[in-house]
C-alpha cells in the first residue's frame, strides 16, 4: 500500500463463493514509504517485501518481525540503485529474485542473504522478474515492453516485445508452460513460455501494476491496477471477483 503497510489476505472464501471479499489476516508495518512488492515463502515461514524506502525486507510470517534485508545496491558495483520493484521466491524457499531500479535482475541465496548471480538483458530498467516453479528459469519484464527468459545459469533464452508499454509484472504458471504478464498499456497477457505466442488477453480500464496466477479449477489470474483495484479472472469465465486493496 501507499503508506508502506503490507496486508496478508485469505481469499479462499471468495474463490469458493462463500464470501464477496477476502479476509485480512495480518498487516506488516515498518516500511516508511509505499510498498511495491510482497511474496510469501511458506517453506521458510517468511514474507519478502520491497518498498520505495529503498529496502527489501525479510519478515517472519507468523509474528511480523523483520529478520533480515537484501541490499542489491551494495553489490551493484556503483553502490547505487533505484527501488526494488519485484521479488520472487523459488519453490524450495532458498532462492529469491529481485528486480527494479536498474537493468539488473539479482539471484539471491536466502540462507545467507547474498547474491549468487546478476542477469542483464535490457538497456532500460527491469521492472519485474519471477522464477519458474522448477526453479531453473527466470522471466523478467522491462520498460521497453519486452519479456525475457534466462536459465538460472545466466543464459538468455528468449526475448520478445509483447506489450506496447512498460511490463510491470510477470509470472510463470505453476507448471511452467505459460507466462502471465501485465503492463501500463492496460493489458494482461497469457503467453506460451516456449515461443511467447499469445494464448489469452484481458484489457483493463487503467494501467496494470501487478499480476499473478493459480492453476486451480482451470486457472485464475489476479490483476492489480494503479487505482488499487484487484480483479480475479477465471480463464474460462472471465471476471469472478473484485475488491479494493489497503
Amino acid at each position: 500500500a501507499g503508506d508502506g503497510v503490507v496486508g496478508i489476505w485469505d481469499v479462499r472464501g471468495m474463490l469458493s463463493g462463500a464470501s464477496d471479499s477476502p479476509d485480512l489476516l495480518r498487516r506488516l508495518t515498518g516500511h516508511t514509504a509505499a510498498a511495491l512488492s510482497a511474496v510469501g515463502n511458506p517453506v521458510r515461514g517468511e514474507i519478502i517485501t520491497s518498498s520505495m524506502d529503498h529496502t527489501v525486507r525479510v519478515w517472519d510470517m507468523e509474528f511480523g518481525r523483520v529478520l533480515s534485508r537484501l541490499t542489491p545496491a551494495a553489490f551493484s558495483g556503483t553502490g547505487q540503485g533505484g527501488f526494488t520493484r519485484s521479488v520472487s521466491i523459488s519453490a524450495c524457499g532458498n532462492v529469491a529474485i529481485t528486480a527494479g531500479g536498474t537493468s539488473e535482475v539479482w539471484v539471491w541465496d536466502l540462507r545467507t542473504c547474498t547474491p549468487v548471480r546478476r542477469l542483464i538483458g535490457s538497456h532500460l530498467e527491469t521492472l519485474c522478474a519471477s522464477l519458474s516453479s522448477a526453479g531453473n528459469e527466470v522471466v523478467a519484464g522491462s520498460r521497453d515492453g519486452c519479456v525475457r527468459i534466462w536459465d538460472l545459469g545466466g543464459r538468455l533464452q528468449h526475448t520478445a516485445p509483447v506489450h506496447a508499454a512498460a511490463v510491470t509484472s510477470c509470472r510463470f504458471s505453476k507448471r511452467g508452460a505459460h507466462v502471465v504478464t501485465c503492463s501500463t498499456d492496460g493489458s494482461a497477457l497469457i503467453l506460451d513460455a516456449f515461443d511467447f505466442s499469445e494464448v489469452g488477453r484481458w484489457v483493463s480500464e487503467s494501467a496494470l501494476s501487478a499480476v499473478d496466477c493459480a492453476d486451480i479449477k482451470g486457472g485464475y489470474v489476479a490483476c492489480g491496477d494503479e487505482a488499487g483495484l484487484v480483479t480475479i479472472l477465471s480463464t474460462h469465465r472471465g471476471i469472478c471477483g473484485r475488491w479494493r486493496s489497503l
Side-chain angles (χ1 to χ4, degrees), residues 39-243:
V39 61
N41 186 351
V43 175
R44 297 175 62 88
E46 298 169 349
I47 293 177
I48 302 180
T49 63
S50 67
S51 166
M52 291 182 71
D53 65 9
H54 292 269
T55 66
V56 179
R57 305 186 185 205
V58 182
W59 306 74
D60 179 279
M61 189 180 295
E62 183 177 0
F63 300 105
R65 298 184 302 241
V66 176
L67 302 175
S68 58
R69 301 189 184 194
L70 309 181
T71 54
F75 300 95
S76 66
T78 64
Q80 298 178 352
F83 310 128
T84 296
R85 301 176 184 271
S86 174
V87 182
S88 177
I89 299 174
S90 65
C92 71
N94 292 327
V95 178
I97 301 292
T98 63
T102 68
S103 61
E104 301 162 327
V105 177
W106 290 92
V107 183
W108 299 84
D109 185 334
L110 290 178
R111 295 166 295 188
T112 59
C113 290
T114 56
V116 295
R117 188 158 287 108
R118 182 179 64 165
L119 310 175
I120 300 177
S122 174
H123 63 285
L124 298 179
E125 182 185 8
T126 299
L127 300 176
C128 55
S130 178
L131 273 163
S132 65
S133 59
N136 60 346
E137 291 184 314
V138 177
V139 61
S142 55
R143 287 195 180 276
D144 58 9
C146 289
V147 174
R148 295 172 173 84
I149 290 181
W150 292 265
D151 62 32
L152 208 57
R155 183 173 65 90
L156 183 62
Q157 297 178 320
H158 302 295
T159 301
V162 296
H163 284 283
V167 182
T168 50
S169 186
C170 57
R171 289 286 187 274
F172 278 103
S173 65
K174 183 177 180 180
R175 296 179 178 86
H178 298 96
V179 171
V180 180
T181 67
C182 72
S183 167
T184 54
D185 65 12
S187 65
L189 305 180
I190 302 175
L191 306 170
D192 185 296
F194 178 73
D195 60 7
F196 282 158
S197 59
E198 186 176 313
V199 177
R201 172 185 293 260
W202 177 73
V203 180
S204 171
E205 297 177 355
S206 58
L208 295 174
S209 56
V211 69
D212 208 340
C213 58
D215 294 338
I216 56 175
K217 295 181 179 179
Y220 288 90
V221 175
C223 302
D225 67 19
E226 294 184 345
L229 181 65
V230 179
T231 302
I232 292 188
L233 306 162
S234 164
T235 55
H236 297 303
R237 296 183 287 113
I239 296 175
C240 60
R242 277 182 166 174
W243 73 90

Side-chain angles (χ1 to χ4, degrees), residues 1-6 31 33-38 49-52:
D3 58 2
V5 177
V6 176
H31 285 299
L36 299 175
S37 182
T49 63
S50 67
S51 166
M52 291 182 71

